[in-house]
Amino acid sequence: MSPNTTTYVLAIDQGTTSSRAILFDHAGDIVSVGQLEHEQIFPRAGWVEHDAMEIWRNVRKAVADCLGSSPSVNSKNIAAVGITNQRETAVVWDRTTGEPVYNAIVWQDTRTAKIVEELGQGDPDRFKERCGLPLATYFAGPKVKWILDNVEGAREKAEKGDLLFGTTDSWVVWNLTGGVEGGVHVTDVTNASRTMLMNLDTLDWNPDICAEMGIPMSMLPEIRSSSEVYGTGREGGFLVGVPIAGILGDQQAATFGQACFEVGMAKNTYGTGCFMLMNTGEEIIHSQNGLLTTVCYQIGDRKPVYALEGSIAVAGSLVQWVRDNLGLIKDAAQIETLAKGVEDNGGAYFVPAFSGLFAPYWKDDARGALVGLTRYVNKGHIARAVIESTAFQTREVSEAMAADAKDKGIELTELKVDGGMTANETLMQFQADQLGVPVIRPKVAETTALGAAYAAGIAVGFWQGEQDVIDNWAEDKRWEPAVDQDDRERTYRLWKKAVTKTFDWVDEDVR
């Protein structure tokens, strides 16, 4: 399909805090945006939920707002729709009524700790060779088991074939393509690789793991590539007849949008959490250092590309917590203003283990800690500690990647960055200082949505392939390391000490 006859590609970015619709032109530039936040539901400590119906309503409204702000745009000049999403959040719904049987359980939720422990039988890496993931509350499979075990009537319905499961990409696509009137029940390889239920090498569901988790395979979506036509927009919708042609989990979408197509190229997304992915090519590298092995992307019937990933649970959400729970700032940007009022962190270190510790520790029973406090510490130092925590966590992940990739001759020489926190230049400079390599921000910061748009556009010929993505990518700003080596190592050593203070906090009876 020529870009001269169909002008735009629409990306739907169903994220942890909001749903967005972004229209891109052939140059990869943003034409218009629609966005709505959804409620964060916290029924108990450690539990995080979303209303899946609210998410679907917000997706529709975001699409309407996006198209409405460009009056010349309608379904006839949209080449394709790409979907990107919060990856491990689990939705279970009734295929006949279209109603979820329970709220979506969010990737940050820790209620499945006991399930995970029982499945592990003393070995948290029990399924890792097959699925690339350690047993942890982070992933979708145990969340589905919890719903089936705890929602009245859910298991009986599932065993009769009446329930469907999906991460939020599947939920959105099913509704976009018709819902109960014939919606397509699919996911892509990147999202399937975050469930613990998919064989990493063959890219199909593993019946043995499904059986161990008590998840009927009739619930599961069909696994497809990241870039192909899955179906078309439903009758009566804003996108009637438009091909739904790309799906990528949010972090893989950002990797794609950042044009990280060569082995060893890496990106870090600074959002609610923080997620660093390194392209390892067509080779599966099983991490020995607390990282995840995941599918990076697959274009059509080509071989999949894999990645090592370091997942950090809390990054931007720590700034939100400081704003909403402590009231130290009125908006997120003020965290940098406060931090710039002091020369350093004053000896304070903030380890935000609100959902336990993810990579490289995988400790569900860790909890947050602010340590090193003296009478000298003020709110500026705390703001600085908040900012620095994200950079320290990223360095831990980077070092784990270096260890895993060392034998393959893969080395990090620069880090591409994206996400809302990249506007914080104090953080970006500190990140370069801690990593000892340049940190590079692109001109188009919306790389997650852009990656999904590229995947969809490539599927329908709007873009010809990865080279178009590379040609469109442009650098906005670069930060070079500029710190004394001794200072760099001293602060990092104290950070590592602070992390140990969060271990083994949760008692068994209150988990």
Side-chain angles (χ1 to χ4, degrees):
M1 181 176 290
S2 166
N4 295 322
T5 57
T6 303
T7 316
Y8 309 106
V9 171
L10 180 70
I12 295 172
D13 181 354
Q14 200 299 291
T16 306
T17 59
S18 70
S19 298
R20 293 185 295 172
I22 304 180
L23 203 62
F24 293 96
D25 64 18
H26 194 258
D29 292 328
I30 293 173
V31 176
S32 59
V33 179
Q35 178 172 357
L36 284 93
E37 292 189 0
H38 52 263
E39 182 184 3
Q40 306 297 307
I41 303 167
F42 306 104
R44 287 173 51 182
W47 292 29
V48 190
E49 299 176 1
H50 294 156
D51 178 348
M53 291 302 292
E54 181 190 12
I55 284 174
W56 169 232
R57 289 193 299 271
N58 286 0
V59 165
R60 285 185 292 171
K61 182 67 163 56
V63 169
D65 290 348
C66 178
L67 300 185
S69 62
S70 297
S72 62
V73 178
N74 57 46
S75 60
K76 292 183 173 56
N77 49 15
I78 298 175
V81 177
I83 311 291
T84 184
N85 60 291
Q86 48 171 326
R87 296 172 297 178
E88 298 81 8
T89 297
V91 186
V92 175
W93 69 97
D94 189 305
R95 69 165 73 237
T96 303
T97 67
E99 294 285 335
V101 301
Y102 189 79
N103 280 337
I105 301 181
V106 179
W107 57 272
Q108 300 155 311
D109 190 286
T110 61
R111 78 184 68 188
T112 58
K114 194 167 186 60
I115 290 173
V116 163
E117 185 179 325
E118 291 170 352
L119 287 168
Q121 300 177 10
D123 179 11
D125 291 337
R126 187 170 167 233
F127 301 144
K128 195 171 183 181
E129 189 70 24
R130 287 173 281 177
C131 69
L133 310 173
L135 275 156
T137 59
Y138 181 23
F139 306 111
K143 302 181 197 305
V144 180
K145 176 174 170 54
W146 187 94
I147 290 173
L148 296 183
D149 288 347
N150 289 276
V151 175
E152 186 177 354
R155 181 161 297 284
E156 291 78 5
K157 280 188 172 183
E159 289 173 353
K160 283 197 249 179
D162 292 338
L163 297 187
L164 300 176
F165 151 68
T167 42
T168 60
D169 59 302
S170 298
W171 171 244
V172 170
V173 171
W174 187 78
N175 281 292
L176 276 178
T177 55
V180 295
E181 301 298 326
V184 177
H185 189 215
V186 297
T187 190
D188 90 303
V189 290
T190 67
N191 281 290
S193 74
R194 314 300 292 193
T195 61
M196 298 201 74
L197 306 175
M198 188 190 82
N199 293 308
L200 203 57
D201 53 353
T202 58
L203 308 182
D204 54 6
W205 299 118
N206 185 300
D208 295 332
I209 298 177
C210 289
E212 290 220 33
M213 291 199 193
I215 299 173
M217 294 187 70
S218 61
M219 297 179 68
L220 305 180
E222 180 184 358
I223 301 173
R224 306 274 285 272
S225 82
S226 310
S227 179
E228 62 176 279
V229 176
Y230 315 108
T232 58
R234 64 192 175 94
E235 292 293 329
F238 292 107
L239 301 171
V240 57
V242 179
I244 315 300
I247 303 173
L248 283 162
D250 51 9
Q251 304 313 316
Q252 286 92 335
T255 308
F256 204 87
Q258 287 272 38
C260 292
F261 300 130
E262 294 181 18
V263 173
M265 295 184 77
K267 71 87 204 179
N268 200 28
T269 297
Y270 300 78
T272 302
C274 200
F275 303 88
M276 184 174 174
L277 270 73
M278 175 185 281
N279 184 325
T280 64
E282 295 176 3
E283 182 176 4
I284 297 172
I285 297 179
H286 288 285
S287 177
Q288 304 302 313
N289 294 280
L291 301 181
L292 311 178
T293 305
T294 193
V295 181
C296 194
Y297 60 88
Q298 183 187 27
I299 304 300
D301 58 4
R302 284 156 50 179
K303 289 184 177 179
V305 172
Y306 294 93
L308 284 171
E309 175 176 338
S311 305
I312 297 164
V314 177
S317 56
L318 177 57
V319 177
Q320 293 174 329
W321 182 82
V322 170
R323 180 194 66 193
D324 298 340
N325 291 45
L326 299 188
L328 286 182
I329 54 176
K330 291 184 179 179
D331 60 66
Q334 284 187 335
I335 200 79
E336 183 176 18
T337 304
L338 265 182
K340 288 169 76 171
V342 295
E343 292 184 359
D344 54 34
N345 62 19
Y349 291 81
F350 202 143
V351 186
F354 295 162
S355 298
L357 287 169
F358 283 17
Y361 300 100
W362 299 108
K363 288 186 172 289
D364 295 332
D365 57 3
R367 286 297 180 268
L370 177 58
V371 301
L373 297 179
T374 63
R375 287 286 300 272
Y376 171 70
V377 172
N378 62 34
K379 61 183 180 181
H381 297 116
I382 293 174
R384 183 95 187 186
V386 166
I387 289 171
E388 291 180 355
S389 70
T390 296
F392 284 131
Q393 290 178 97
T394 298
R395 178 173 171 182
E396 289 185 303
V397 164
S398 175
E399 290 186 346
M401 280 185 181
D404 279 334
K406 179 174 59 177
D407 294 341
K408 308 294 181 182
I410 301 172
E411 183 181 359
L412 182 69
T413 57
E414 64 180 30
L415 181 66
K416 292 182 174 180
V417 298
D418 55 77
M421 292 183 80
T422 62
N424 188 322
E425 301 204 356
T426 302
L427 168 60
M428 293 297 98
Q429 183 59 59
F430 191 75
Q431 186 70 87
D433 291 342
Q434 282 296 314
L435 293 179
V437 300
V439 168
I440 304 167
R441 183 176 66 196
K443 283 189 176 177
V444 177
E446 298 288 355
T447 53
T448 301
L450 183 56
Y454 280 138
I458 288 171
V460 299
F462 185 77
W463 288 291
Q464 296 309 303
E466 290 96 314
Q467 190 58 49
D468 281 351
V469 181
I470 294 168
D471 292 343
N472 279 350
W473 189 92
E475 180 179 318
D476 173 50
K477 187 164 182 176
R478 156 184 311 247
W479 291 266
E480 298 282 351
V483 71
D484 178 79
Q485 183 73 9
D486 289 342
D487 285 346
R488 173 180 183 254
E489 295 309 317
R490 178 185 59 80
T491 56
Y492 187 57
R493 183 177 68 252
L494 288 169
W495 162 263
K496 297 286 278 186
K497 186 176 181 180
V499 171
T500 66
K501 307 304 180 186
T502 72
F503 293 170
D504 306 318
W505 184 261
V506 178
D507 289 334
E508 179 68 26
D509 59 345
V510 295
R511 182 175 292 181

